[in-house]
Amino acid sequence: MAYLLPHLNSGWAVDQAIVTEEERIVLIRFGHDWDATCMEMDECLSKIAEKVKNMCVIYLVDITKVPNFNKMYELYDPCTVMFFFRNKHIMIDLGTGDNNKINWAITDKQEMIDIIETVYRGAKKGRGLVVSPKDYSTRYRY
């Protein structure tokens, strides 16, 4: 499903995508197109891309082709999703302890739409950290 979403193939392209978007949040999935976790996430993202186009623009970045951000954003997981708004990284409290990014595949479309909507509303209000609508801590065994 990665072929349905736009790819950013250089560090400059990633930087420009983050800097130039003024009204919507920028969701970037860092990972590999061939990775199973990324495939699941890409499928979900491609299905909701049309529904969230007024709130969010979605890009994919291959961390092997574009290694510029690997250390800066600590991109060590197979699949990582990060949010940006007006050149600012928006953190999201998911209950996992890592507020910088989502590093697993979310396969439920409505769940992902809810997260994007929460990030969008919080970012529009000027918040740098938003709280997820669902708690993903391991004690609940999702």
Side-chain angles (χ1 to χ4, degrees):
M1 287 298 187
Y3 59 88
L4 296 173
L5 296 167
H7 283 72
L8 301 173
N9 295 317
S10 68
W12 186 82
V14 174
D15 207 36
Q16 288 302 303
I18 294 169
V19 170
T20 57
E21 186 60 55
E22 290 290 324
E23 294 302 315
R24 300 178 291 180
I25 57 172
V26 177
L27 182 153
I28 300 181
R29 193 274 293 152
F30 294 97
H32 299 100
D33 293 344
W34 49 261
D35 185 72
T37 309
C38 285
M39 286 182 192
E40 290 176 19
M41 191 63 155
D42 292 349
E43 185 176 356
C44 178
L45 291 174
S46 65
K47 287 180 179 176
I48 66 167
E50 188 64 28
K51 293 177 183 168
V52 298
K53 68 181 179 185
N54 294 331
M55 290 186 286
C56 175
V57 59
I58 300 170
Y59 295 109
L60 308 180
V61 175
D62 189 324
I63 58 175
T64 305
K65 291 180 187 171
V66 187
N68 308 32
F69 303 98
N70 292 358
K71 282 192 176 175
M72 185 192 318
Y73 295 137
E74 299 174 1
L75 303 174
Y76 307 121
D77 301 302
C79 181
T80 302
V81 172
M82 297 180 79
F83 300 95
F84 301 89
F85 184 71
R86 293 186 181 152
N87 198 19
K88 184 179 173 190
H89 173 55
I90 304 297
M91 295 187 290
I92 180 165
D93 182 8
L94 300 156
T96 59
D98 185 5
N99 294 344
N100 295 323
K101 56 194 172 256
I102 299 172
N103 53 8
W104 67 90
I106 296 177
T107 54
D108 184 17
K109 293 183 290 187
Q110 189 57 48
E111 203 172 301
M112 194 65 201
I113 290 171
D114 292 345
I115 290 172
I116 290 170
E117 187 176 351
T118 302
V119 171
Y120 177 74
R121 288 181 183 198
K124 278 291 206 187
K125 291 178 183 175
R127 297 199 175 108
L129 173 68
V130 297
V131 179
S132 168
K134 181 177 174 183
D135 187 6
Y136 291 93
S137 61
T138 55
R139 64 181 169 183
Y140 293 114
R141 305 276 184 225
Y142 288 113

